[in-house]
Amino acid sequence: MLTCDVLDCHNAPDLDAFSHAFVMTRAAELLALQQRINPIQLANIASSLRSNIPSTIPALVAAEANRPVLSKVMGGMNVHLEILFDDNVAWIARFQRTTDDKGDHILVNEELDTMGIIDWEWSKVVTKSFAFAAPIMLLPLAFDEGDNQLTEDEEELAKVFESLGRPDMTLCVRGGRVYHHISFILHKGDRPDACKPQMKGFYQLPGNESWEWETWRSDALQMYQTEPVLQGLLGKSRSTN
């Protein structure tokens, strides 16, 4: 049992009991959702979308009536089942676990039949170069310090695109560091100290090795001193400090 030594603070719950209750509640929820699924109808719908190639839902066919088989939570809000076709192609059927939807992700036809579902969460419209910069998982640890050197993995990805005859995608990867910096700067924009390394890396890309934060800040304030939006933001900042 964890306890809190803050005055008038309630004791924290028993973590073992909480974990057990969480597992049991989640299992009951998944089982209830699972029992609402008609595996034959689901397989028929999937087959109709692939030239009537027969399909099955292996997990539901083999499932015990009282054991949940829905698994692999997606984004914390969804679970899925595998649909297996006779030609060994596998699809994923996705089921929502939440009522947190507004209907704008559901595509329907003129008869209001559901034709598809698109998860727009975290989606955005960006340029091609931004979209196809190397994924952040390939960035070096030194990126947090403003490093602009491409990693071996990034170079390998660029070579793969070259081998596929896509020099445009190769350029996106090799020129993607600027967009990595922009993403991090925008994410940390409310914490200037946190984005200083990315600001430095951003300005050093074109060869401005002598860039310094304080110099840039002073020059920017001077350059945009008559900009009303900036002055409004600075005024708000001063009033809260």
Side-chain angles (χ1 to χ4, degrees):
M1 175 76 74
L2 296 178
T3 59
C4 178
D5 57 3
V6 178
L7 187 63
D8 294 329
C9 180
H10 295 291
N11 287 339
D14 185 310
L15 294 184
D16 290 336
F18 174 82
S19 297
H20 177 72
F22 174 82
V23 171
M24 297 301 293
T25 301
R26 183 174 183 274
E29 175 205 353
L30 294 179
L31 182 59
L33 176 59
Q34 177 179 308
Q35 291 173 340
R36 296 170 56 192
I37 300 171
N38 184 326
I40 296 177
Q41 186 174 1
L42 178 59
N44 287 340
I45 292 173
S47 295
S48 70
L49 297 174
R50 287 202 68 227
S51 303
N52 293 317
I53 298 175
S55 66
T56 57
I57 318 296
L60 289 184
V61 171
E64 299 174 9
N66 61 348
R67 184 175 65 86
V69 296
L70 288 169
S71 62
K72 296 185 179 179
V73 175
M74 292 181 172
M77 300 299 178
N78 307 281
V79 291
H80 71 242
L81 281 172
E82 184 179 75
I83 302 173
L84 185 62
F85 293 88
D86 282 5
D87 59 357
N88 291 323
V89 171
W91 278 10
I92 288 177
R94 184 173 182 178
F95 301 92
Q96 281 192 293
R97 299 176 59 232
T98 176
T99 58
D100 183 23
D101 65 78
K102 303 180 293 298
D104 57 357
H105 62 298
I106 301 175
L107 307 180
V108 299
N109 60 16
E110 294 180 355
E111 286 73 40
L112 299 183
D113 297 319
T114 299
M115 305 303 293
I117 297 178
I118 301 177
D119 188 350
W120 291 109
E121 187 174 10
W122 300 106
S123 61
K124 56 187 175 183
V125 177
V126 296
T127 64
K128 176 181 176 180
S129 298
F130 202 142
F132 293 101
I136 59 175
M137 66 181 181
L138 301 185
L139 300 185
L141 293 177
F143 174 77
D144 288 337
E145 301 172 1
D147 186 272
N148 289 319
Q149 186 69 35
L150 294 184
T151 63
E152 292 183 7
D153 290 328
E154 288 176 288
E155 289 289 1
E156 185 63 28
L157 179 59
K159 291 177 182 177
V160 169
F161 283 128
E162 280 184 340
S163 69
L164 295 174
R166 293 300 303 269
D168 57 325
M169 301 292 281
T170 299
L171 289 175
C172 289
V173 173
R174 290 190 170 138
R177 189 63 84 243
V178 60
Y179 299 105
H180 296 140
H181 286 311
I182 290 174
S183 294
F184 277 73
I185 291 169
L186 292 176
H187 178 66
K188 302 176 181 178
D190 59 338
R191 294 170 290 140
D193 287 341
C195 65
K196 285 181 182 179
Q198 275 68 52
M199 289 285 290
K200 183 175 182 179
F202 177 81
Y203 276 93
Q204 286 182 339
L205 279 171
N208 186 11
E209 296 295 332
S210 61
W211 184 91
E212 293 294 339
W213 168 266
E214 291 301 334
T215 301
W216 173 85
R217 182 178 182 278
S218 176
D219 291 344
L221 289 174
Q222 179 68 27
M223 182 181 301
Y224 300 106
Q225 60 181 324
T226 60
E227 171 58 47
V229 176
L230 174 61
Q231 295 307 314
L233 291 174
L234 291 175
K236 290 181 180 180
S237 176
R238 296 189 190 100
S239 65
T240 57
N241 292 333

